Amino acid sequence: MTEEGRFQQEKPDNPIMDKMEEIDFSGVVYLQKEQMWTAARGFANRADERPNAVDTRFGIASGSKLFTAVVVCQLVGEGKLDFSNKLSELLPHAFPQFDVTIHQLLTHTSGMPDYFDEQIEGAFEDLWKKQPMYLMQTASDFIPLFKNLPAMFEPGERFHYNNAGFIALGLIIEKVTGQEFAEVVEERIFAPAQMKRSGYFYLDRLPAHTAIGYVEEADFWRTNQYALPIRGGADGGAYVTAGDMANFWKCLMDGTLLSREILSAMLQVHASGENGDYGYGIWIQGCANSVSKYHIMGYDPGVSFHSAFYPEEASVLTVLSNKNSGARDIIKTIEELNIEKE
């Protein structure tokens, strides 16, 4: 046998790296178990061929709904809100007709009209052809997009994923705290959780070491700068690093961010849809009476994100990508490997 042949036979398999290569993954994979394992692949900036690194910032789209839910739960724990409070009473000038509760907003069971219904509408970026994305800088900017639309169903009737409901939660947060939404999250979550590289950044002034989102066309790549609101908010759009997400999960689960009582309420199954069970801003997966993981996800043009906490072994898995897809494939590969080893 030749030396080359012997090396190929002895070379260990790495299914995760193989999957990253197979799908041309661009982003970061971070697994914190007994030990930490990370990998980065692809370009944060394709024009300059600046590679992604393990500490690169990525947009996480709807994954940041959990940050909104945590702040709401904090305010409930402080006695400043109650899960039974109604939107029509909290914000009577903006939403007098919506007698939906904070509980229903947090669990996507409010039936409120949505400014973009992911289950029936087309491409998200088409929304900004009529409403310029550069004008969408605060939660209040979204109100005209859904305020006068009819309700989808009676409050509490069923689960239907709803972005506008979290915009409403952001407005409630601003009213109760007297602060701008992003400032509240930075003060109440990012700072205590040591998420030092995370933030709600403007697309036209992204900080250093941030991955630009890319959308693939027939024969070229274009950035997602005109495909998203210029700044994220209560329904999504924060930027994080993989390490920051590990810090977040630790501080969420150890009581740093929420009391045990409120955390327990957040992590209960309150509603169920086609994609699984849902708590307050968080997906819950399990069998019988055992939870196998708590997880969040986010998909936007040029964004693919999954992050999960596995309570049995207190491990964290985060996949961040600056392409439309990839995170789900990597998560599935790693979870299947973990099952095989058990």
Side-chain angles (χ1 to χ4, degrees):
M1 181 183 297
T2 65
E3 185 67 17
E4 180 181 4
R6 186 180 66 81
F7 173 77
Q8 290 176 344
Q9 281 191 340
E10 293 179 357
K11 182 180 178 181
D13 293 330
N14 189 327
I16 303 173
M17 299 300 291
D18 290 345
K19 175 57 71 173
M20 292 170 70
E21 183 173 353
E22 175 189 331
I23 64 175
D24 191 24
F25 177 76
S26 177
V28 169
V29 181
Y30 181 108
L31 175 61
Q32 187 177 63
K33 207 171 177 181
E34 293 87 356
Q35 296 179 331
M36 184 178 70
W37 185 89
T38 64
R41 188 180 188 280
F43 295 115
N45 182 327
R46 288 178 174 266
D48 298 327
E49 296 191 344
R50 172 168 58 87
N52 285 316
V54 295
D55 62 348
T56 297
R57 300 176 173 98
F58 290 84
I60 62 172
S62 288
S64 50
K65 281 185 172 68
L66 182 53
F67 301 152
T68 305
V70 168
V71 173
V72 170
C73 287
Q74 288 175 340
L75 294 173
V76 170
E78 294 166 12
K80 298 175 181 177
L81 285 174
D82 190 275
F83 292 125
S84 63
N85 288 156
K86 290 187 175 181
L87 177 61
S88 58
E89 297 170 351
L90 292 166
L91 300 172
H93 297 296
F95 306 109
Q97 75 277 37
F98 294 131
D99 288 328
V100 302
T101 65
I102 287 177
H103 168 86
Q104 291 163 344
L105 292 171
L106 285 168
T107 57
H108 300 286
T109 59
S110 70
M112 278 185 62
D114 204 351
Y115 73 87
F116 179 78
D117 192 332
E118 297 183 8
Q119 297 186 28
I120 63 174
E121 297 188 59
F124 182 60
E125 59 186 301
D126 288 344
L127 185 64
W128 315 119
K129 292 178 180 179
K130 295 182 179 180
Q131 179 70 19
M133 44 70 62
Y134 54 80
L135 297 178
M136 312 308 291
Q137 301 186 30
T138 69
S140 297
D141 295 328
F142 287 83
I143 295 176
L145 300 185
F146 65 93
K147 176 182 178 179
N148 297 318
L149 297 176
M152 291 188 285
F153 52 83
E154 288 295 316
E157 181 181 305
R158 57 189 170 89
F159 178 97
H160 188 91
Y161 195 83
N162 191 303
N163 292 290
F166 271 72
I167 291 291
L169 288 170
L171 290 165
I172 291 171
I173 289 170
E174 291 185 336
K175 179 177 180 180
V176 172
T177 63
Q179 298 173 271
E180 192 265 336
F181 173 79
E183 181 181 319
V184 176
V185 175
E186 290 165 3
E187 180 182 296
R188 287 175 166 265
I189 297 179
F190 294 166
Q194 295 294 300
M195 300 172 70
K196 297 180 180 180
R197 297 175 62 79
S198 298
Y200 290 84
F201 308 130
Y202 288 85
L203 281 172
D204 60 353
R205 46 187 129 149
L206 294 175
H209 309 296
T210 301
I212 297 171
Y214 287 94
V215 179
E216 186 175 11
E217 297 289 355
D219 56 355
F220 64 92
W221 292 88
R222 60 180 172 85
T223 72
N224 66 354
Q225 183 170 350
Y226 298 104
L228 306 174
I230 195 167
R231 192 187 191 197
D235 67 328
Y239 284 80
V240 305
T241 66
D244 279 359
M245 282 307 303
N247 290 346
F248 169 78
W249 283 115
K250 176 183 181 299
C251 291
L252 178 64
M253 296 301 177
D254 71 8
T256 298
L257 297 177
L258 294 173
S259 70
R260 291 298 178 186
E261 180 182 0
I262 296 296
L263 178 62
S264 178
M266 167 177 270
L267 300 181
Q268 288 181 22
V269 174
H270 295 293
S272 298
E274 293 182 0
N275 293 322
D277 296 328
Y278 203 79
Y280 287 153
I282 191 168
W283 295 96
I284 303 168
Q285 183 173 312
C287 54
N289 297 319
S290 176
V291 173
S292 59
K293 73 173 177 178
Y294 300 101
H295 61 115
I296 53 179
M297 65 187 83
Y299 286 88
D300 268 340
V303 178
S304 174
F305 165 78
H306 272 244
S307 187
F309 176 83
Y310 303 84
E312 184 175 345
E313 50 194 20
S315 62
V316 172
L317 174 58
T318 295
V319 182
L320 299 146
S321 176
N322 57 334
K323 291 173 60 176
N324 286 9
S325 62
R328 182 178 283 110
D329 292 324
I330 300 298
I331 286 276
K332 183 179 178 181
T333 297
I334 295 175
E335 289 181 340
E336 288 175 347
L337 284 171
N338 189 54
I339 292 173
E340 291 173 359
K341 291 179 180 178
E342 293 178 351

